[in-house]
Amino acid sequence: MIKKKVSFDISVFSSMDELENRDKKLMKRAVEARKNAYSPYSNFTVGAAVLLENGEMVLGNNQENAAYPSGLCAERVAVFYAGANYPGIKIKAIAITATSINYKVDTPAAPCGNCRQAISEYETKQESPIELFLMGETGKVLKCNAIADILPLAFTSSFLL
Ligand code: THU
């Protein structure tokens, strides 16, 4: 038996003002997108901005439904839109910001497991990493270098031969 350790690098920025210009712009778009979330059931609003390799940005926000499981997270709204409308164009980065109508979220919100799996599909397909920038409404921003880092041992199409 051998034991292996899985670890990954993460960068911590004290606020979005500390981000490089490209990434700050992306986060600002995610903040805009967050404001259009439709979340009357959870009161939790999430915005996602996807940066494509051609420089275009695609936005998404969480869309809830009275039949709860029919709703969708912001990240999947955004990456599915990118996949549907920009096939073959690689995703460079995704900025995610979340807050609540009930309180100000000041810790970075991380994508849920389903969203990690959905983003991982695109990362695997395009064979290049997708950077992630995670923020609440205010406060620190975390940068992950690849979705694979936060979804170790991912299930991929390689199993489906
Ligand atoms: N939500 C997202 O949009 N992204 C996530 O990664 C986590 C959760 C949404 C789903 C639901 O509308 C609300 O936040 C509360 O779970």
Side-chain angles (χ1 to χ4, degrees):
M1 191 269 276
I2 51 167
K3 281 194 178 179
K4 292 187 177 182
K5 189 178 259 164
V6 177
S7 65
F8 66 98
D9 291 325
I10 203 159
S11 312
V12 184
F13 299 85
S14 58
S15 79
M16 66 183 279
D17 294 329
E18 220 186 285
L19 294 172
E20 282 177 22
N21 259 348
R22 181 203 81 164
D23 307 329
K24 200 190 299 184
K25 264 192 209 156
L26 190 65
M27 188 55 87
K28 281 188 177 161
R29 298 299 306 278
V31 170
E32 281 170 30
R34 196 187 70 217
K35 294 176 181 157
N36 294 329
Y38 174 63
S39 53
Y41 304 104
S42 71
N43 284 331
F44 195 71
T45 59
V46 186
V50 169
L51 176 65
L52 302 174
E53 64 178 344
N54 64 6
E56 290 202 46
M57 293 182 200
V58 166
L59 308 184
N61 39 48
N62 52 327
Q63 296 294 319
E64 297 187 349
N65 194 280
Y68 288 8
S70 302
L72 202 61
C73 294
E75 297 90 323
R76 274 177 288 163
V77 170
V79 293
F80 289 163
Y81 185 93
N85 293 285
Y86 299 89
I89 312 272
K90 290 184 183 180
I91 296 172
K92 303 279 285 183
I94 306 178
I96 301 161
T97 169
T99 197
S100 169
I101 308 296
N102 304 328
Y103 74 104
K104 200 177 246 192
V105 173
D106 61 3
T107 49
C112 77
N114 281 317
C115 288
R116 291 178 201 208
Q117 182 68 30
I119 299 166
S120 162
E121 181 79 22
Y122 294 101
E123 186 170 271
T124 306
K125 183 156 72 91
Q126 70 182 33
E127 294 178 329
S128 63
I130 297 174
E131 293 175 348
L132 298 168
F133 295 88
L134 315 177
M135 189 177 81
E137 179 176 344
T138 56
K140 287 184 184 134
V141 179
L142 301 185
K143 177 186 176 193
C144 304
N145 299 318
I147 193 77
D149 287 349
I150 60 166
L151 188 66
L153 304 178
F155 183 81
T156 68
S157 61
S158 65
F159 291 101
L160 304 176
L161 294 178

